[in-house]
C-alpha cells in the first residue's frame, strides 16, 4: 500500500480537499489502513461529502465502508426520498447500506427529550448497533467547521463552563469526525467538482431551531461585519480550550484522589481540610465529579448547584442542600457528604460479593448503581480515559475469576512497577480512610489481588502497557444511563433502536 509520502511525490493525485481531510485524519489518528468504518449519511451535502471523500481514501488505505441512514419520519415524502437517494447512491457504489425508520415525535415523548436530542440519540444508537453487527472499527459522522462554531456559541448563550467551549472533539471513543477541518462551502464546492448533487432538508433552511438561528443570522453577521475569519478563530479557541480542559481533568483527578472517599453505595465523602487547600477552580471540578459519581450523569447540574455545595463548608454540621436527581449534600464533621436522598441507611452495612465476567452489566445490591465490564481489542490509537468512572486494565494479566465485592482478609494491591504490594487494610489506614467507610468501599478483585479500589486507585500490576493486547474496561454507571450522550450507547444504555432496517 502506498504511504503518505508516495502521493506527495506524485505517485497518485489527490483532490486538495481530500488531501486536507486525509492529513487531518492522520493528525488525529482517526483510522488505520484496512479498518471498517460505519458512515452516517443523511443525503445532505455534508454527509454525502464525507462518504465521497472516504470512498476516495478507501482506494488508497483500503477502508471498508458501511453506510447507515436514519429516516426520522418528520418530513413525510421528502424523508422517504432522502432514504431512497442514499440507498441508490450506495447501491451504485456497491457499499452496504442499513436504513432505519423511527417515529421521532413519539420516540421523543417517550424518552422525555426534545426532538433534536431524541434524533441525535436515536441516530447514534443505530450507528453503534450496525458497528457491532458488522464488526466495524469506527463510526464516521459529518460534522464540519461551522458545526463547531454553532455548538460553542449555542453553549455560550445558554450558559456553560470550560467543557462547553471545547466544541466538538475530532475523536471520541470509536466516533471520528474527519470533516471538522473544512467548511460547508468547501464541501459543496468539492461535490460540484465531482458533478454530484445532494438532498436538502428544508427544516435546515428555517429558523425553527436555535442552532439554525445561529447558523443563518449570527455567524454570517459576525463574519461579514466583524471578522471574516471569525469561524476559524472560534475553532482555534476550541482547540486551546480542549487542551486546558484535559489539563484540568488531570489536576481534578489527582485532587479527587486526595480528598474524596467513595463508599459502596456511591456515597462521596469529601474531607474538608484537604478540600479547602485546593484552588477554587479545582474545588468546583472535584464537586462536579462527586455529583457525577453519585448521579451517574451531570446534565442539568450547573454552577449554581456546585456553589451551593461549596458554601456548605461555611455552615454548621447538619446543614444540607438538595440537588438534581434526588441527591443531597450534607455538612458533616469531616467535611461534606454527597449521596442519594432516598438511600436506606441500613444498606450501608450490607456485604457485597458477586462473581462477574466481561462483557456484562452488574447491578450493585441495595443501590441504584451498576458496573459494566467489556473487552476492547482495537484500542491502540485511543487515549486511556482520565476520569473517575472508567478504568482500563490489561485483560490478559487476570489470573482468577473476577468479583465485585467489599474487602476481605488478605486483600492486597500492587503499588508500583517493581511489584511492591500492600495489604488493603494497611493501605486504607495509610490513606486515612475513616474506619466506618472501609467496609463500604467497592472493589474489583482478581482473587485477593485488588484491580481497582473504586473511587480511589488501581493496581499497578494490571495497568495497560505497550505490550497489552486486550483491555478490560470497567465503568461505573448511575441509576439511569444518560440517553443524551453517546457514551450510554457504548455502555448498553436505554434501548430504542428497533430492528426496522433494510440493507
Amino acid at each position: 500500500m502506498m504511504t503518505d509520502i508516495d502521493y506527495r511525490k506524485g505517485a497518485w493525485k489527490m483532490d486538495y480537499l481530500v488531501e486536507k481531510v486525509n492529513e487531518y485524519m492522520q493528525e488525529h489518528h482517526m483510522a488505520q489502513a484496512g479498518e471498517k468504518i460505519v458512515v452516517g449519511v443523511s443525503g445532505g451535502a455534508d454527509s454525502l461529502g464525507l462518504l465521497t471523500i472516504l470512498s476516495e481514501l478507501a482506494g488508497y488505505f483500503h477502508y471498508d465502508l458501511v453506510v447507515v441512514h436514519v429516516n426520522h419520519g418528520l418530513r413525510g415524502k421528502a424523508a422517504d426520498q432522502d432514504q431512497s437517494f442514499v440507498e441508490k447512491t450506495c447501491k451504485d457504489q456497491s457499499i452496504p447500506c442499513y436504513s432505519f425508520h423511527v417515529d421521532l415525535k413519539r420516540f421523543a415523548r417517550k424518552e422525555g427529550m426534545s426532538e433534536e436530542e431524541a434524533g441525535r440519540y436515536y441516530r447514534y444508537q443505530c450507528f453503534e448497533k450496525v458497528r457491532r453487527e458488522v464488526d466495524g472499527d469506527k463510526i464516521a459522522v459529518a460534522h464540519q467547521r461551522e458545526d463547531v462554531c454553532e455548538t460553542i456559541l449555542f453553549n455560550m448563550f445558554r450558559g456553560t463552563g470550560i467543557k462547553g467551549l471545547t466544541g466538538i472533539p475530532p475523536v471520541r471513543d470509536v466516533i471520528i469526525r474527519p470533516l471538522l477541518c473544512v467548511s460547508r462551502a468547501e464541501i459543496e464546492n468539492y461535490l460540484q467538482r465531482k458533478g454530484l448533487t445532494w438532498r436538502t432538508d428544508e427544516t435546515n433552511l428555517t429558523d425553527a431551531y436555535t442552532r439554525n438561528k445561529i447558523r443563518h443570522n449570527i455567524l454570517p453577521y459576525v463574519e461579514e461585519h466583524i471578522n471574516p475569519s471569525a469561524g476559524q478563530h472560534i475553532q482555534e479557541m476550541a482547540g486551546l480550550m480542549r487542551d486546558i480542559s484535559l489539563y484540568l481533568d488531570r489536576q481534578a483527578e489527582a485532587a479527587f484522589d486526595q480528598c474524596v472517599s467513595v463508599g459502596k453505595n456511591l456515597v462521596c465523602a469529601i474531607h474538608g481540610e484537604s478540600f479547602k487547600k485546593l484552588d477554587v477552580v479545582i474545588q468546583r471540578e472535584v464537586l462536579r465529579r462527586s455529583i457525577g459519581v453519585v448521579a451517574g450523569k451531570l446534565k442539568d447540574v450547573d454552577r449554581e448547584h456546585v456553589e451551593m455545595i461549596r458554601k456548605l463548608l461555611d455552615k454548621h454540621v447538619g446543614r444540607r442542600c438538595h440537588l438534581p436527581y434526588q441527591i443531597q449534600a450534607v455538612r458533616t464533621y469531616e467535611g461534606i457528604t454527597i449521596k442519594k436522598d432516598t438511600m436506606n441507611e441500613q444498606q450501608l452495612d450490607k456485604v457485597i460479593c458477586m462473581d462477574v465476567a466481561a462483557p456484562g452489566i452488574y447491578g450493585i445490591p441495595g443501590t441504584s448503581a451498576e458496573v459494566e465490564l467489556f473487552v476492547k481489542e482495537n484500542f491502540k490509537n485511543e487515549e486511556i480515559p482520565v476520569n473517575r468512572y472508567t478504568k482500563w486494565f490489561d485483560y490478559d494479566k487476570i489470573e482468577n475469576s473476577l468479583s465485585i465485592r467489599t474487602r476481605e482478609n488478605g486483600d492486597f494491591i500492587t503499588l508500583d512497577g517493581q511489584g511492591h504490594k500492600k495489604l488493603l487494610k494497611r493501605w486504607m489506614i495509610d490513606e486515612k480512610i475513616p474506619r466506618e467507610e472501609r467496609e463500604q468501599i467497592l472493589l474489583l478483585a482478581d482473587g485477593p489481588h485488588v484491580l481497582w479500589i473504586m473511587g480511589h486507585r488501581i493496581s499497578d500490576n494490571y495497568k495497560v502497557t505497550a505490550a497489552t493486547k486486550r483491555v478490560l474496561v470497567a465503568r461505573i454507571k448511575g441509576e439511569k444511563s444518560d440517553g443524551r450522550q453517546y457514551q450510554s450507547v457504548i455502555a448498553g444504555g436505554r434501548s430504542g433502536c428497533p430492528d426496522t432496517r433494510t440493507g
Side-chain angles (χ1 to χ4, degrees), residues 241-371:
M241 297 305 291
R242 195 174 301 122
D243 291 340
I244 292 172
S245 179
L246 290 172
Y247 173 76
L248 285 179
D249 279 344
R250 292 192 293 270
Q251 298 301 310
E253 181 79 6
F256 194 106
D257 287 338
Q258 174 188 350
C259 64
V260 181
S261 298
V262 182
K264 74 181 181 186
N265 290 72
L266 301 184
V267 175
C268 284
I270 301 169
H271 302 278
E273 290 306 313
S274 55
F275 181 81
K276 288 179 180 178
K277 296 176 183 178
L278 301 174
D279 185 272
V280 64
V281 175
I282 303 301
Q283 285 184 356
R284 291 178 180 131
E285 290 300 311
V286 167
L287 291 177
R288 283 180 58 82
R289 285 168 180 264
S290 300
I291 296 170
V293 167
V294 179
K297 53 190 171 183
L298 283 170
K299 191 178 188 301
D300 301 323
V301 175
D302 56 31
R303 181 185 176 91
E304 179 183 359
H305 299 123
V306 172
E307 292 305 307
M308 286 168 57
I309 304 175
R310 285 187 66 241
K311 292 176 182 178
L312 279 180
L313 283 175
D314 299 323
K315 307 292 184 181
H316 296 296
V317 172
R319 292 293 296 273
R320 64 189 64 210
C321 60
H322 296 274
L323 307 164
Y325 311 120
Q326 293 184 303
I327 291 173
Q328 63 174 317
V330 183
R331 179 66 164 99
T332 64
Y333 286 106
E334 295 81 13
I336 297 171
T337 295
I338 301 177
K339 62 181 181 178
K340 282 283 188 179
D341 270 336
T342 56
M343 182 173 295
N344 182 348
E345 300 296 337
Q346 294 179 348
Q347 293 173 347
L348 295 177
D349 297 326
K350 192 171 185 177
V351 176
I352 292 175
C353 183
M354 55 183 177
D355 293 331
V356 296
I361 300 177
Y362 302 91
I364 306 304
T367 78
S368 58
E370 297 175 329
V371 176

Side-chain angles (χ1 to χ4, degrees), residues 64-285:
D64 189 4
L65 303 182
V66 176
V67 165
V68 173
H69 175 80
V70 179
N71 184 337
H72 294 126
L74 293 176
R75 296 166 40 246
K77 186 177 180 180
D80 295 337
Q81 291 172 344
D82 290 349
Q83 180 176 333
S84 298
F85 172 80
V86 172
E87 291 172 348
K88 183 178 184 305
T89 299
C90 292
K91 183 178 180 180
D92 291 344
Q93 300 183 43
S94 299
I95 299 174
C97 180
Y98 294 78
S99 294
F100 293 82
H101 189 282
V102 63
D103 183 342
L104 191 62
K105 290 182 180 294
R106 179 183 297 177
F107 181 77
R109 288 195 300 269
K110 176 184 175 183
E111 299 296 338
M113 303 180 188
S114 68
E115 289 181 9
E116 203 170 3
E117 288 178 307
R120 182 183 186 279
Y121 171 59
Y122 185 88
R123 285 194 302 275
Y124 279 97
Q125 278 198 318
C126 294
F127 297 157
E128 177 61 11
K129 182 180 183 68
V130 172
R131 187 188 73 84
R132 294 194 178 196
E133 287 190 4
V134 303
D135 196 24
D137 300 291
K138 302 292 168 54
I139 295 170
V141 291
H143 293 106
Q144 34 77 10
R145 191 170 68 196
E146 279 89 344
D147 292 318
V148 176
C149 300
E150 292 161 13
T151 297
I152 290 173
L153 292 176
F154 178 78
N155 290 341
M156 285 177 58
F157 297 153
R158 73 175 183 178
T160 187
I162 289 178
K163 287 191 185 300
L165 300 178
T166 60
I168 304 173
V171 179
R172 176 179 287 158
D173 293 317
V174 297
I175 300 174
I176 60 174
R177 298 179 171 92
L179 300 187
L180 288 183
C181 62
V182 298
S183 69
R184 183 173 288 111
E186 287 180 294
I187 296 169
E188 292 181 356
N189 289 337
Y190 165 74
L191 291 175
Q192 290 169 354
R193 290 197 300 275
K194 301 287 289 184
L196 298 175
T197 58
W198 58 89
R199 298 286 298 172
T200 299
D201 182 345
E202 295 83 1
T203 61
N204 289 334
L205 303 178
T206 71
D207 287 344
Y209 298 109
T210 301
R211 287 180 180 272
N212 285 4
K213 295 174 183 175
I214 295 173
R215 178 183 307 164
H216 298 149
N217 302 308
I218 297 176
L219 265 178
Y221 180 89
V222 170
E223 291 181 336
E224 180 179 354
H225 297 285
I226 299 178
N227 188 338
S229 300
Q232 179 181 342
H233 294 328
I234 292 174
Q235 188 176 37
E236 291 169 352
M237 181 206 69
L240 293 174
M241 297 305 291
R242 195 174 301 122
D243 291 340
I244 292 172
S245 179
L246 290 172
Y247 173 76
L248 285 179
D249 279 344
R250 292 192 293 270
Q251 298 301 310
E253 181 79 6
F256 194 106
D257 287 338
Q258 174 188 350
C259 64
V260 181
S261 298
V262 182
K264 74 181 181 186
N265 290 72
L266 301 184
V267 175
C268 284
I270 301 169
H271 302 278
E273 290 306 313
S274 55
F275 181 81
K276 288 179 180 178
K277 296 176 183 178
L278 301 174
D279 185 272
V280 64
V281 175
I282 303 301
Q283 285 184 356
R284 291 178 180 131
E285 290 300 311

